[in-house]
Structures are given as structure tokens and as C-alpha cells.
């Protein structure tokens, strides 16, 4: 049984019902914008993923969560912002694949991909505004601004041998952690919970999620990640495993990432990175963040606390 399915089962019957409402709503809201945008937006949404962020919205609201329209809108908005950011990332990275399928950039070109991401962002805020909560709009707006800053930081750091682990972690916070934070904040707003404490929990598990995603880029395999092994190396993206490996291996420390031009070269470097022992160190940092996240959870009903801890543990268990 997958970690997500374990959480769904533990959350009670209301969680699968809410997830189904999420899928139905997301499939409906991109219609009416012309065939190209509808197709690309629809395919992006249908590609799915684990829907971890909307799941956090539901669970932060309560266990069982209130099955309200406002909660569904909040979850839809978070997932649309996430999807939009992936489409825009693929434009910047010129990525050919996303979740094992051709990216919008590859299928439709730069202009259609940019427009698709813009549409998803716009629909996210229209959805959230329909719920009438100014606090919710502010939370997602902060997260969206941070996503942009994080992407600019990643572009600025591309190919660099000078990126520190602290700067890397800040980039992870901006690119991933803040949207996990927003998911928990939106759920807490709708459910009347502890917004700041649940947001801090979400931010830390989001950073851990990104660290482990970067580990998985090195370990593969492509059929699990949906992209070639070593894609980050080919993109010039400096990750924690690379930073740690460079501290341990003089040859890697001297490596100019621009020299890594082919998938075969990237796989070879991945093997060299793994041989330094950097991957377990990166995993341990992620585990520390998960432990910190769980320790920051506020006083909650026992069932809700248990399910949120399951989510945190699931971020790690998918890599073990």
C-alpha cells in the first residue's frame, strides 16, 4: 500500500470524497479558453501526481475534514498554482518530459506553455477568491511570490560551484516549502485551526520533500521519476547531494557542470556522487526536518495529529 493510500484510509471516508470533488472541479474549470489552452491545461491537470498539497489542505482543516465548498476551492487553488509553476519551470528549463509525458513546452512550444501556466495561475486565484477569504488569498499570494523568487534563485545559481547548503535550503523553502505551508494554512483557515503552527509544519515537510526529490534525481530510475536520471546535472541545478559530494571528492569539486552534456555523462556523474556517501547525508537532513515538523504540530485531536504525522513520515518512506 502506498503512503498516500495509507493516509487516505486513516483520514476517513470524507477525504476520498473530497479528493474526488477536487478532481471533478479541476477538470471543469479550464473549459472555455480555446482548444489549445484547454488541451494543454487539461493534460497538465490529468497528469496528476500524488496530490499531496490538496491532501494537506483537507487534513489541516480537520480529521475528518469539513466537506465544504470553501475547502474544495482552497485545495483546487493550491494544486493549480503547483501545476502552473511546473509548466513555467519547464519553459525555463526547456524540459522535454514532465511526469513521464511530453511537457507542454515540448508539445506546444514556449508561447503555449507560458499561456497555459498563466491560465492555471489565474484560475487558481479566481477559485480561491470565490471562497471569500482575504486571509486565504494573502496566503496563496505570498506562496506564489516566493515560488517566483525561488525560481530566479535557481536560475542565478545554475552551474555554480559556490552554492552553499544554506542557500540551497533557502531555495527549497521558496520553491517547495512555501506552497506546502500555504496548503496547511488554507486548511487551517477553513477549519478554524492554528494557522501559523500548521503552516510551519507544512513548510518543513515541503523542504524535506524537495531534498528527497533531488536525491531521487540521482538514484533514479527514470520509470519512477518520470525524467532521465541526472536531469538536474544536465540543467545545471545545484542540489544538496552535489554540494555534499563536492566537499568529499576533489574531482567533483573541480567539475564544471557545463561539461555534463549528455545523459550518459549525467548517469556517470550520478554514480560518482553516490560513491561519496553524500546521499545518506542528504537523507538524514530531510529526516531531521521531518522530525522538526512533527515536533511543531500544535495540540490537535489525536486522530488529526496521527494522520498529519503519517503524511510527514510518508515524505520519507517513498524513498526507502
Amino acid at each position: 500500500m502506498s503512503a498516500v493510500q495509507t493516509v487516505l484510509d486513516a483520514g476517513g471516508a470524507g477525504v476520498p470524497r473530497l479528493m474526488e470533488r477536487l478532481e471533478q472541479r479541476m477538470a471543469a474549470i479550464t473549459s472555455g479558453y480555446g482548444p489549445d489552452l484547454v488541451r494543454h491545461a487539461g493534460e497538465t491537470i490529468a497528469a496528476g501526481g500524488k496530490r499531496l498539497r490538496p491532501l494537506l489542505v483537507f487534513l489541516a482543516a480537520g480529521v475528518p475534514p469539513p466537506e465544504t465548498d470553501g475547502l474544495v476551492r482552497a485545495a483546487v487553488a493550491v494544486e493549480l498554482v503547483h501545476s502552473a509553476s511546473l509548466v513555467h519551470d519547464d519553459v525555463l528549463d526547456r524540459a522535454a518530459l514532465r511526469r513521464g509525458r511530453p511537457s507542454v513546452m515540448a508539445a506546444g512550444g514556449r508561447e503555449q506553455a507560458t499561456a497555459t501556466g498563466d491560465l492555471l495561475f489565474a484560475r487558481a486565484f479566481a477559485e480561491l477568491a470565490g471562497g471569500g477569504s482575504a486571509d486565504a488569498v494573502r496566503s496563496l499570494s505570498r506562496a506564489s511570490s516566493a515560488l517566483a523568487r525561488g525560481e530566479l534563485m535557481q536560475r542565478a545559481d545554475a552551474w555554480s560551484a559556490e552554492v552553499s547548503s544554506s542557500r540551497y535550503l533557502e531555495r527549497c523553502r521558496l520553491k517547495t516549502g512555501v506552497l506546502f505551508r500555504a496548503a496547511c494554512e488554507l486548511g487551517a483557515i477553513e477549519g478554524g485551526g492554528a494557522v501559523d503552527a500548521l503552516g510551519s509544519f507544512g513548510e518543513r515537510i515541503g523542504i524535506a520533500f524537495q531534498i528527497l526529490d533531488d536525491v531521487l534525481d540521482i538514484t533514479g530510475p527514470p520509470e519512477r521519476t518520470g525524467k532521465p536520471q541526472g536531469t538536474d546535472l544536465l540543467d545545471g541545478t545545484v542540489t544538496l547531494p552535489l554540494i555534499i559530494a563536492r566537499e568529499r571528492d576533489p574531482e567533483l569539486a573541480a567539475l564544471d557542470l557545463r561539461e555534463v552534456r549528455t545523459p550518459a555523462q549525467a548517469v556517470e556523474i550520478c554514480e560518482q556522487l553516490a560513491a561519496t556517501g553524500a546521499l545518506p547525508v542528504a537523507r538524514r537532513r530531510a529526516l531531521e526536518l521531518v522530525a522538526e515538523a512533527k515536533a511543531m504540530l500544535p495540540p490537535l485531536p489525536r486522530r488529526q495529529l496521527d494522520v498529519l504525522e503519517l503524511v510527514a513520515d510518508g515524505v520519507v518512506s517513498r524513498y526507502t
Side-chain angles (χ1 to χ4, degrees):
M1 183 183 295
S2 71
V4 170
Q5 188 59 52
T6 300
V7 171
L8 289 172
D9 292 345
V15 178
R17 285 197 296 267
L18 285 165
M19 295 296 282
E20 180 61 28
R21 289 178 62 185
L22 168 91
E23 298 297 341
Q24 292 171 352
R25 182 64 184 158
M26 288 189 14
I29 62 176
T30 56
S31 62
Y33 293 93
D36 289 335
L37 278 178
V38 168
R39 175 168 59 88
H40 291 310
E43 288 174 353
T44 298
I45 289 169
K50 292 181 173 61
R51 305 294 197 216
L52 183 53
R53 293 157 190 81
L55 182 58
L56 278 170
V57 174
F58 297 144
L59 298 177
V63 177
E67 297 182 46
T68 63
D69 288 344
L71 192 61
V72 174
R73 283 180 177 274
V76 168
V78 167
E79 188 66 4
L80 288 177
V81 166
H82 174 55
S83 296
S85 71
L86 296 180
V87 173
H88 282 167
D89 282 356
D90 289 344
V91 172
L92 292 171
D93 297 337
R94 297 179 175 84
L97 292 176
R98 171 63 63 180
R99 292 169 176 154
R101 306 164 73 171
S103 67
V104 181
M105 175 69 181
R110 185 182 185 88
E111 290 183 0
Q112 289 194 22
T114 301
T116 298
D118 290 349
L119 172 64
L120 293 171
F121 266 120
R123 290 305 305 156
F125 282 93
E127 193 71 5
L128 196 57
S133 170
D135 286 340
V137 173
R138 279 192 286 270
S139 174
L140 194 60
S141 177
R142 284 194 299 269
S144 299
S145 298
L147 284 169
R149 285 164 36 220
E151 184 58 41
L152 288 174
M153 181 183 286
Q154 182 166 305
R155 291 300 95 201
D157 290 347
W159 321 109
S160 174
E162 307 300 324
V163 180
S164 66
S165 58
S166 60
R167 182 171 171 86
Y168 163 84
L169 290 170
E170 174 63 5
R171 192 181 80 217
C172 289
R173 188 186 73 83
L174 293 171
K175 280 184 62 69
T176 306
V178 291
L179 195 55
F180 276 70
R181 170 182 277 276
C184 290
E185 288 179 347
L186 266 58
I189 290 167
E190 185 67 22
V195 175
D196 289 341
L198 285 166
S200 295
F201 164 82
E203 182 172 295
R204 277 166 176 75
I205 65 170
I207 297 170
F209 182 97
Q210 185 60 58
I211 292 172
L212 290 165
D213 217 45
D214 293 342
V215 169
L216 192 58
D217 181 77
I218 292 168
T219 60
E223 56 268 21
R224 185 177 177 189
T225 63
K227 59 182 181 178
Q229 185 180 4
T231 293
D232 286 339
L233 293 169
L234 291 168
D235 291 341
T237 301
V238 180
T239 63
L240 186 59
L242 177 60
I243 293 168
I244 296 167
R246 279 174 158 167
E247 293 170 351
R248 296 174 168 220
D249 184 331
E251 186 177 338
L252 287 171
L255 173 69
D256 184 346
L257 287 181
R258 291 180 180 84
E259 297 174 358
V260 184
R261 298 191 180 98
T262 68
Q265 286 177 305
V267 170
E268 184 177 336
I269 297 299
C270 285
E271 293 171 353
Q272 189 173 350
L273 283 168
T276 68
L279 301 185
V281 177
R283 288 192 188 99
R284 282 198 297 273
R285 182 66 186 111
L287 283 167
E288 290 168 0
L289 285 161
V290 167
E292 289 173 14
K294 291 162 67 174
M296 299 180 91
L297 282 168
L300 293 168
R302 184 72 251 174
R303 187 178 177 191
Q304 185 180 15
L305 190 65
D306 288 346
V307 174
L308 287 170
E309 288 184 346
L310 272 177
V311 175
D313 291 338
V315 165
V316 178
S317 67
R318 67 196 182 115
Y319 295 92
T320 57

